[in-house]
Amino acid sequence: MARNERLERDRAARELGLDREEIDAALLSLTGMGLLKADSEDPARLRPVDPDLVGAVVTGRLESVIRTQQAELHRIRERFSDLRGHYMDSLSHASADVEVVPRLEEVRAALNRASAECTEEMLTSQPGGQRDPAVLQEALGRDTAMLARGVRMRTLYHHTARFNGPSQAYIATVSALGAEYRTVHQLFGRLIVFDRKIAFVPDQGDSWGAVVVREPSLVHYLCEVFEQTWSVAEPFSDAAVDGLELVAKDIDRTIVRLLAAGFKDETIARRTGMSLRTARKHIADIMETLGAESRFQAGVLAARSGLTDPENFGTGES
């Protein structure tokens, strides 16, 4: 319409490759947005309106809404900040040494606050071989900021994380900034400790909540558990660097030990950082290699043959 100074519906439909219904719908939409208006001398004729003028009106209303929402956001933050003063006073009581944070959103907020206040060291144990790329992306900004402040960061993973592409990329990026990563066959569980003063452990059950521990003796104990595992862990490298077969055999050796100890599939999967399906695939391959007809028999055969000893195991399949 701007180019031709008038609208011929049939011509517009032909040149634009639209049907009449689509042309009518477009006219209705443009008129509703104020980009077309009736000619003052010929009301049946529509004229285009300067988009800058229409945009200024539309964005002006939107900017007004945003200013109102920002004012409301500021007011809400002030109110919660006032309440936080009362909450911080309560932390002086013994009952605040262990706090249950039931919801994931609150856990994330608590972690972000603790990381922002961390000045010396963060210790992390992250079980599981698969890491969500979105979670890793969220952690990247937080970890980068801490490293820039000179905070020492050490993280433990399962060996299976070496096969995970997102984990490899994330660790390569953050290691270049000074973070340290090691892996082990088995981990004691999820743990995050800031400045050896405040620790986060998972809430029991299937919830995504956390238990926040501030009691000095408990935090010290959790740090000692981390240090003992760290001392026997291996520096992180992806499976291709170490050799896929070697890494797979190491994982299978751990599964053999757990089978010999009588652990169930679910426990083996959790301890090795695998999905249940992957763990059962490894177990089936190991049983076939040993010629065992049951998990119990596989454990007994492995123990009798000395396959639970690191130097003797060499038949694992990936």
Side-chain angles (χ1 to χ4, degrees):
M1 289 183 66
R3 184 173 69 248
N4 297 292
E5 298 184 354
R6 61 182 298 176
L7 175 68
E8 297 179 6
R9 284 178 168 80
D10 292 337
R11 178 185 174 186
R14 185 173 60 257
E15 293 183 357
L16 297 174
L18 305 173
D19 57 35
R20 284 291 299 270
E21 289 75 13
E22 290 173 313
I23 293 292
D24 291 340
L27 287 173
L28 182 62
S29 176
L30 291 168
T31 304
M33 288 187 287
L35 289 168
L36 296 177
K37 69 175 183 179
D39 190 301
S40 58
E41 298 179 358
D42 183 5
R45 182 181 180 184
L46 296 174
R47 289 186 176 276
V49 180
D50 185 345
D52 286 343
L53 298 179
V54 179
V57 174
V58 174
T59 57
R61 291 196 297 265
L62 183 59
E63 287 173 350
S64 177
V65 172
I66 291 174
R67 285 194 296 269
T68 301
Q69 291 178 336
Q70 286 178 330
E72 177 67 9
L73 179 62
H74 180 69
R75 185 183 67 82
I76 292 173
R77 283 177 172 169
E78 284 190 332
R79 292 181 63 186
F80 277 92
S81 179
D82 292 340
L83 293 173
R84 179 165 170 76
H86 297 292
Y87 174 75
M88 294 303 294
D89 289 341
S90 72
L91 296 184
S92 60
H93 303 299
S95 60
D97 286 341
V98 177
E99 174 190 8
V100 177
V101 182
R103 296 190 301 180
L104 178 60
E105 295 81 3
E106 295 169 346
V107 173
R108 285 178 171 171
L111 286 171
N112 288 335
R113 183 170 62 242
S115 66
E117 296 172 352
C118 184
T119 60
E120 297 180 3
E121 182 183 42
M122 184 182 81
L123 310 176
T124 308
S125 170
Q126 293 285 3
Q130 302 294 323
R131 300 299 309 282
D132 186 343
V135 173
L136 291 174
Q137 185 61 37
E138 179 184 346
L140 182 60
R142 182 173 62 234
D143 293 349
T144 301
M146 283 194 291
L147 290 167
R149 297 198 305 270
V151 174
R152 185 187 184 190
M153 290 179 51
R154 289 186 288 161
T155 302
L156 287 167
Y157 283 119
H158 273 116
H159 281 331
T160 47
R162 300 185 189 190
F163 293 91
N164 183 243
S167 295
Q168 294 170 10
Y170 174 81
I171 290 172
T173 299
V174 185
S175 294
L177 302 176
E180 302 170 64
Y181 295 88
R182 294 185 181 181
T183 64
V184 290
H185 291 296
Q186 299 183 61
L187 274 178
F188 46 84
R190 196 173 305 279
L191 171 69
I192 305 177
V193 184
F194 296 95
D195 286 340
R196 297 182 179 258
K197 294 179 180 178
I198 178 172
F200 291 78
V201 297
D203 192 6
Q204 66 178 355
D206 297 327
S207 75
W208 288 98
V211 178
V212 184
V213 181
R214 298 183 179 86
E215 202 286 317
S217 296
L218 287 176
V219 174
H220 174 74
Y221 176 81
L222 293 171
C223 291
E224 285 298 303
V225 172
F226 178 93
E227 293 291 358
Q228 289 179 22
T229 307
W230 181 266
S231 67
V232 298
E234 300 175 11
F236 185 97
S237 60
D238 65 60
V241 172
D242 289 342
L244 293 174
E245 184 178 358
L246 178 61
V247 175
K249 286 181 178 180
D250 284 344
I251 293 172
D252 282 353
R253 183 163 52 244
T254 300
I255 295 175
V256 166
R257 293 190 189 120
L258 295 174
L259 281 172
F263 287 107
K264 295 182 179 179
D265 294 355
E266 292 78 1
T267 302
I268 293 174
R270 185 174 64 254
R271 291 201 175 191
T272 55
M274 296 181 182
S275 68
L276 181 58
R277 179 179 179 181
T278 301
R280 283 175 172 165
K281 174 64 168 57
H282 279 263
I283 292 170
D285 289 344
I286 291 170
M287 289 176 61
E288 182 179 355
T289 300
L290 293 171
E293 297 181 358
S294 68
R295 298 171 72 262
F296 176 77
Q297 185 184 20
V300 172
L301 290 174
R304 287 178 178 176
S305 303
L307 296 182
T308 55
D309 299 329
E311 62 275 12
N312 293 335
F313 188 91
T315 58
E317 296 290 336
S318 62

